[in-house]
Amino acid sequence: MDLKRYRVNNIQEALQLIKKDLGPEAVIVSTRQVKEGKGTFGLFGKTVLEVTAALDQEQKTAPAKPPPSQAAAAIAYGKKEHETPPAPVIPFRSSSKDNQSLLLPLQKDVQELKESIDEIKVRTATYGDHVINQLKHELGEMRHMLHMIVSQSVHHDDLHLPENLMILFQQMKFGGLEEKFARRVVLEAQKNISEEDLQNFSYVKIFLARMLMKIIKTTNGIENIEPSQKIVSLIGPTGVGKTTTAAKICSEQILQYKRKVALITVDTLRIAAVEQLRAYAKVINVPLSIVSDKVELDRAISSYADYDVIVIDTGGCSQRDETQMFELRDIFDERGRLHNVLVLSATTKDSDTNEITRKFGSMPLDSIIFTKLDESSSYGSIFNHAIRFKKPVSYLTTGQNVPEDIELATKERLVDLLLHISGS
Ligand SMILES: Nc1nc2c(ncn2[C@@H]2O[C@H](COP(=O)(O)OP(=O)(O)O)[C@@H](O)[C@H]2O)c(=O)[nH]1
Ligand SMILES: [Mg+2]
């Protein structure tokens, strides 16, 4: 694999260089911001983008190239396309009468080898069946044991469920879904699944998945925002990832949709804590405006009239600080023009998330972004939130890397987080 590192001012510059040096099949392996030059205490060096790109040697020798659109997508999203390894090259030599005699014993050997392989195939097929049956048996026993443990450790005197539903009830609760919600789901499922189907674990699991998919709402990112100009404001407590997510959404809009994007940050405290966003704006190559009240915000939005997307980042705001909340409400309490997104971390405990949503809910909230899924192991809280507040989820973020660690929130993905469908 060829690895190459570039220090550039923005991602477009990197893409051009990578395409030129490594070709269209290259993939971006990582991006990070680094300081160039030492400056005072290393603080004031120029911040540049360091992009590492790679080209797989196999791709270099692959006989057929993917169509250009796929190759471009591979660069844009840093993902590998499905590759078919090149067929092995078998040298061809013409035979002559002279070496016919040499070939005869060789042919005999090949015939013997074929017979041995056939025999092995028959044996391994039987062996394979045996192993699968053994595994099935063990899985059944484990499920039974799990049920025993579960029913002994937790008493649900009033909850009489068939084994499969009880296991899934426990799984959802273990995944953080509130007991009363989990209970509602399994009882509803019990009413609607036949006795026979209840014996089939996969059937019951898929049935529950479908029910959960009906409960949760998603927005398809910011694609469904009605006005042709999409204005998205990210609000929420400090440290949840608003600024990082703003940069990721800008990159998504530029790279995937080729839209013209501008950034605004609302710095009501006038502490000019905007260096992080300024650095991102530079790397992504979008204009940035810093505003401190509604009048300035309106002016900035008007100045970007010919832009397709405006992403508005906000400074940290504690839901308990009434003055800050008041200022924020003054700016964002407006229906229609702005798509207000409440950014919440998947690592925050339910009770705090509820308090945050209630306080920020004094402004119109159009969707929710859950960040830091990579740092959480219990995703039930996303469902608890969806059931309690009925707000749709727009994006999920899964790491610190800009731009790659963001994905559109889909119902399938959210349900999978809770029920592990894809891993079963
Ligand atoms: N692990 C992880 N860290 C994240 C994610 N999103 C943001 N962060 C980190 O969380 C910290 C706070 O992010 P920042 O965007 O400054 O939060 P803000 O105060 O809400 O603007 C930074 O260290 C980010 O790199 C994520 O999805 N996963
Ligand atoms: Mg921030």
Side-chain angles (χ1 to χ4, degrees), residues 368-379:
I368 309 288
I369 291 179
F370 283 98
T371 61
K372 309 195 184 185
L373 260 69
D374 54 309
E375 287 185 355
S376 175
S377 55
S378 137
Y379 306 104

Side-chain angles (χ1 to χ4, degrees), residues 234-248 276 280 313-317 343 345 347 370-376 396-402 405-406:
L234 304 186
I235 56 180
T238 319
V240 287
K242 295 182 299 299
T243 303
T244 316
T245 306
K248 288 174 185 174
Q276 183 195 4
Y280 279 132
D313 184 25
T314 57
C317 176
V343 184
S345 165
T347 60
F370 283 98
T371 61
K372 309 195 184 185
L373 260 69
D374 54 309
E375 287 185 355
S376 175
L396 304 171
T397 79
T398 54
Q400 294 183 295
N401 298 316
V402 178
D405 292 338
I406 186 165

Side-chain angles (χ1 to χ4, degrees), residues 62-85:
K65 283 188 185 242
S69 58
Q70 279 181 3
I75 286 190
Y77 301 108
K79 280 185 191 149
K80 273 195 166 186
E81 293 153 283
H82 178 72
E83 291 165 14
T84 313

Side-chain angles (χ1 to χ4, degrees), residues 232-235 241-247 263-267 273-274 276-277 280 288-289 291 297 310-316 328 332 343:
V232 187
S233 33
L234 304 186
I235 56 180
K242 295 182 299 299
T243 303
T244 316
T245 306
L263 259 172
I264 299 177
T265 184
V266 180
D267 182 25
V274 294
Q276 183 195 4
L277 194 64
Y280 279 132
L288 168 70
S289 297
V291 302
L297 177 69
I310 303 173
V311 180
I312 306 170
D313 184 25
T314 57
L328 209 62
F332 292 104
V343 184

